[in-house]
Amino acid sequence: MTEAALAAAEAREVFEGRLTDNGGLTYPLAPYLDGDPLKRYVRYKRRYQKIREYDREHGDGELPRRFEATGYCQRLVMTHGSIEARRAVQQGQLELLSYMTGLTNREVNLSETRTLMRLITELRRPGFMGLFVGHTDNGKTNTALWLALLALIDQQDLVLATNVTTLEWSEAALNERTFFVESKTELKEVCEANDGTIAVIDELSVQANAQTANYDVNEHFYEMITFKSKLDLRFLPIFHRTDVKDSAPAFRQHATYFLEQKREEHELEDDEYSVSFYKEHDDDTGELENEVMEIPVPPLQPDGDYNPDEQATFSISN
């Protein structure tokens, strides 16, 4: 696992109370503050749980669960924080930034922070489609579900539709926002019944193959692809071939990005995973072109789990 992914995973362990040798507390925004503002941030962060208890007993009990979500913290960062942190406040991404950055004893790479913020901005766009390519067992499903998790954390009204039926989140609230779909009709119903959907549809090489199902895609699924903005849908279809030629042309023509899953194998350490975002694809050569960003990908656990051997199914015609 990369250092960036390790930091994010370690931070989540503390948030969930599973990493106790750190004192059970993190200061995720500390790298973006300095001097007296940093001292104020740390002081109030340490006392915040007691402040919440006092508010529940003597106030209205409506203070946010985390100090980083309070108006005071946001004003502190907006006034005294780094450029990246101030931009996060302006774009409504401060909570996500504090969730994904590491512990104070780690050095935060601001270039990776900028990339993460760009990714979140992309996932907010209705009609976004990231078409996954990559070899089997390279972690595409894990990455697609991890991207969906980021979107669910960032957009509280968003729901997930997926044909990965073994998926289970560690938080009950996320399970309530997850719908299992195995057909075009079920996916459309979820989109129409909710204010914003992100869909992770696995194993589409079977149902939407360019060589055997191109007619069926154009006949039955083309409307879903072209109307995804009107449906407030963000779409993550998963194919296999790295030259993208197992996906019907309709998917390639309307993809926002082509996402190439990468896996770096190690003999004595955990394998490292990442995903590269490409803007263009050459139909003649099968080459992906114009890479715009690359992001290290941590395992979905402990936030969620699924059976990687599941044979997901999906009907594009029903």
Side-chain angles (χ1 to χ4, degrees), residues 13-207:
E13 289 294 294
V14 176
F15 289 141
E16 298 298 329
R18 290 186 287 268
L19 186 60
T20 57
D21 59 358
N22 190 65
L25 190 62
T26 64
Y27 304 93
L29 296 180
Y32 309 101
L33 295 166
D34 198 6
D36 185 63
L38 174 60
K39 293 178 181 178
R40 278 187 280 159
Y41 168 66
V42 171
R43 182 169 65 248
Y44 286 115
K45 173 75 171 178
R46 285 175 175 171
R47 299 176 179 176
Y48 187 63
Q49 290 308 314
K50 291 184 178 180
I51 294 173
R52 285 192 69 211
E53 292 174 5
Y54 185 86
D55 180 61
R56 283 195 293 266
E57 294 177 5
H58 305 285
D60 55 20
E62 295 184 358
L63 284 176
R65 183 174 64 89
R66 297 184 60 235
F67 176 62
E68 285 75 16
T70 63
Y72 176 84
C73 184
Q74 293 176 11
R75 288 191 296 273
L76 183 69
V77 172
M78 190 64 190
T79 305
H80 303 286
S82 67
I83 294 175
E84 288 73 20
R86 291 201 300 271
R87 186 181 296 121
V89 176
Q90 292 171 336
Q91 297 178 351
Q93 298 172 342
L94 186 63
E95 265 286 86
L96 188 70
L97 179 65
S98 71
Y99 179 79
M100 289 303 299
T101 49
L103 308 182
T104 55
N105 64 342
R106 292 189 177 273
E107 197 172 307
V108 175
N109 187 327
L110 294 183
S111 65
E112 293 179 351
T113 300
R114 295 189 192 100
T115 301
L116 179 63
M117 292 170 64
R118 177 177 179 177
L119 170 61
I120 294 303
T121 300
E122 294 284 359
L123 291 173
R124 288 178 173 179
R125 292 167 47 192
F128 172 89
M129 181 162 74
L131 194 158
F132 270 90
V133 303
H135 298 295
T136 303
D137 297 328
N138 253 22
K140 295 187 299 295
T141 304
N142 176 89
T143 296
L145 292 173
W146 180 74
L147 293 176
L149 173 64
L150 294 184
L152 291 173
I153 294 171
D154 177 57
Q155 304 171 64
Q156 295 299 312
D157 294 331
L158 199 69
V159 300
L160 168 63
T162 181
N163 65 337
V164 183
T165 59
T166 55
L167 172 65
E168 185 173 356
W169 300 110
S170 58
E171 292 188 19
L174 291 178
N175 287 317
E176 293 173 359
R177 294 164 59 192
T178 299
F179 299 86
F180 297 111
V181 297
E182 294 186 330
S183 69
K184 174 197 71 176
T185 300
E186 292 179 357
L187 174 57
K188 188 174 182 180
E189 289 174 351
V190 171
C191 293
E192 292 175 341
N194 294 278
D195 296 327
T197 303
I198 184 166
V200 174
I201 305 299
D202 203 358
E203 300 293 347
L204 271 175
S205 292
V206 177
Q207 286 285 328

Side-chain angles (χ1 to χ4, degrees), residues 29 56 59 105 196 228 242 259 310:
L29 296 180
R56 283 195 293 266
N105 64 342
K228 57 188 186 300
T242 55
L259 277 58
E310 176 186 357

Side-chain angles (χ1 to χ4, degrees), residues 296-311:
V297 180
L300 194 64
Q301 297 176 327
D303 298 286
D305 200 7
Y306 68 99
N307 180 4
D309 297 323
E310 176 186 357
Q311 296 299 310

